[in-house]
């Protein structure tokens, strides 16, 4: 599951893009200024950054320059500037693509998919492993050591999400949004039930726990400390 960092100082734009990308199955990160964007890029290493040019303080051009030098994360620059010299400036700053506002969400999604194909041509089919746990996205087969683990479709989706981002702490709200496709509701225990089922299947035969509860935050796929 690919992650997209949205960088824009307009909350309405962020909300619109966030809904669109979550619906398409992406993990979504958000920053509302240039400094937040650099911090998010360094901490989470998103697969694509959707970056607004005109922001107060550190603008999109400077963010693109710094990310391009340090992290080489693909960038789509968003701006109302449509002059040829502006497009050249945006691309020369380190952006990989340039989209003029206003734009249709379908066009942005197509450009994101194109960048992901270029940067991660085999990412969706790549075998995922963590410790003695393995997951094959092509066959949907899960193994712990030599043992095949049979999972329900939603258990598989949940484990796939964890294995795409091992060691990262995921909030309960984020998991529900990405895996189930709906926002957090405080009285729902659907996530806890599936975590329990998944653990019981992965921990047979005295196997160690891999899905850790991070108290007060959420869950993470990582070895017990």
């Amino acid at each position: 599951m690919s992650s997209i960092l949205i960088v824009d100082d307009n909350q309405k734009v962020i909300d619109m893009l966030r809904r669109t990308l979550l619906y398409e199955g992406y993990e979504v990160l958000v920053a509302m200024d240039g400094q937040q964007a650099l911090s998010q890029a360094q901490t989470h290493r998103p697969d694509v950054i959707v970056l607004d040019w005109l922001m107060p303080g550190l603008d999109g051009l400077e963010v693109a320059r710094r990310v391009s030098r340090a992290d080489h994360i693909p960038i789509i620059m968003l701006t109302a500037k449509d002059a040829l010299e502006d497009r050249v400036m945006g691309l020369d700053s380190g952006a990989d693509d340039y989209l003029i506002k206003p734009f249709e969400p379908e066009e942005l999604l197509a450009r994101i998919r194109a960048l992901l194909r270029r940067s991660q041509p085999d990412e969706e089919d790549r075998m995922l492993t963590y410790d003695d746990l393995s997951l094959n996205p092509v066959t949907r087969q899960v193994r712990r050591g030599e043992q095949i683990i049979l999972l329900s479709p939603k258990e598989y989706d949940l484990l796939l999400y964890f294995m795409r981002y091992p060691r990262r702490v995921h909030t309960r709200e984020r998991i529900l949004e990405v895996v189930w496709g709906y926002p957090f509701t405080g009285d729902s225990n659907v996530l806890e039930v599936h975590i329990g089922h998944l653990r019981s299947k992965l921990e047979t035969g005295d196997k160690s726990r891999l899905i850790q509860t991070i108290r007060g935050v959420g869950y993470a796929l990582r070895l017990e400390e």
Side-chain angles (χ1 to χ4, degrees):
M1 184 180 299
S2 299
S3 59
I4 312 297
L5 171 59
I6 303 169
V7 186
D8 201 298
D9 62 340
N10 186 318
Q11 187 64 54
K12 290 184 179 179
V13 173
I14 285 179
D15 291 343
M16 181 272 290
L17 293 178
R18 188 169 181 270
R19 285 193 302 269
T20 299
L21 293 168
L22 285 172
Y23 182 80
E24 293 296 320
Y26 295 109
E27 181 178 13
V28 179
L29 305 166
V30 169
M32 296 194 70
D33 60 49
Q35 290 295 345
Q36 287 182 14
L38 293 175
S39 177
Q40 291 274 45
Q42 184 177 39
T43 302
H44 298 289
R45 293 283 306 168
D47 297 296
V48 173
I49 299 175
V50 177
L51 176 64
D52 185 43
W53 180 331
L54 296 178
M55 293 184 294
L58 201 64
D59 67 9
L61 285 182
E62 185 57 28
V63 172
R65 290 189 188 102
R66 296 190 190 185
V67 169
S68 179
R69 285 198 304 264
D71 299 302
H72 309 291
I73 300 170
I75 295 171
I76 300 176
M77 185 78 75
L78 301 182
T79 181
K81 293 173 173 286
D82 60 356
L84 176 59
E85 57 268 27
D86 293 322
R87 301 187 196 193
V88 171
M89 189 182 305
L91 295 170
D92 282 347
S93 71
D96 299 87
D97 203 348
Y98 189 100
L99 191 56
I100 298 171
K101 296 179 178 181
F103 56 86
E104 293 297 327
E106 290 79 7
E107 183 177 5
L108 175 62
L109 290 170
R111 292 174 184 242
I112 288 173
R113 289 193 295 268
L115 284 181
L116 289 172
R117 283 195 299 270
R118 275 186 269 165
S119 62
Q120 303 171 333
D122 301 315
E123 179 67 20
E124 296 301 319
D125 296 335
R126 179 173 59 87
M127 174 74 79
L128 301 172
T129 61
Y130 185 76
D131 194 49
D132 62 345
L133 183 63
S134 65
L135 183 151
N136 188 329
V138 176
T139 64
R140 295 177 68 89
Q141 187 178 81
V142 176
R143 288 179 177 268
R144 184 100 196 249
E146 296 301 317
Q147 180 183 2
I148 295 176
I149 309 294
L150 300 178
L151 301 178
S152 71
K154 192 55 69 176
E155 289 165 357
Y156 173 87
D157 291 343
L158 182 57
L159 182 61
L160 176 63
Y161 176 67
F162 281 126
M163 293 194 70
R164 292 283 188 204
Y165 306 98
R167 295 177 295 277
R168 182 184 298 180
V169 177
H170 306 276
T171 65
R172 184 173 184 268
E173 179 182 14
R174 177 66 58 81
I175 297 170
L176 286 170
E177 287 181 334
V178 175
V179 179
W180 271 266
Y182 57 74
F184 170 78
T185 53
D187 58 353
S188 173
N189 68 342
V190 63
L191 175 58
E192 287 71 20
V193 169
H194 280 78
I195 290 286
H197 291 165
L198 191 53
R199 280 173 169 163
S200 68
K201 293 181 179 182
L202 296 178
E203 296 170 17
T204 57
D206 296 324
K207 292 286 189 179
S208 62
R209 174 157 294 183
L210 290 180
I211 299 177
Q212 312 297 337
T213 300
I214 311 302
R215 192 173 301 278
V217 182
Y219 299 93
L221 179 70
R222 65 190 190 193
L223 296 172
E224 290 180 294
E225 297 179 354

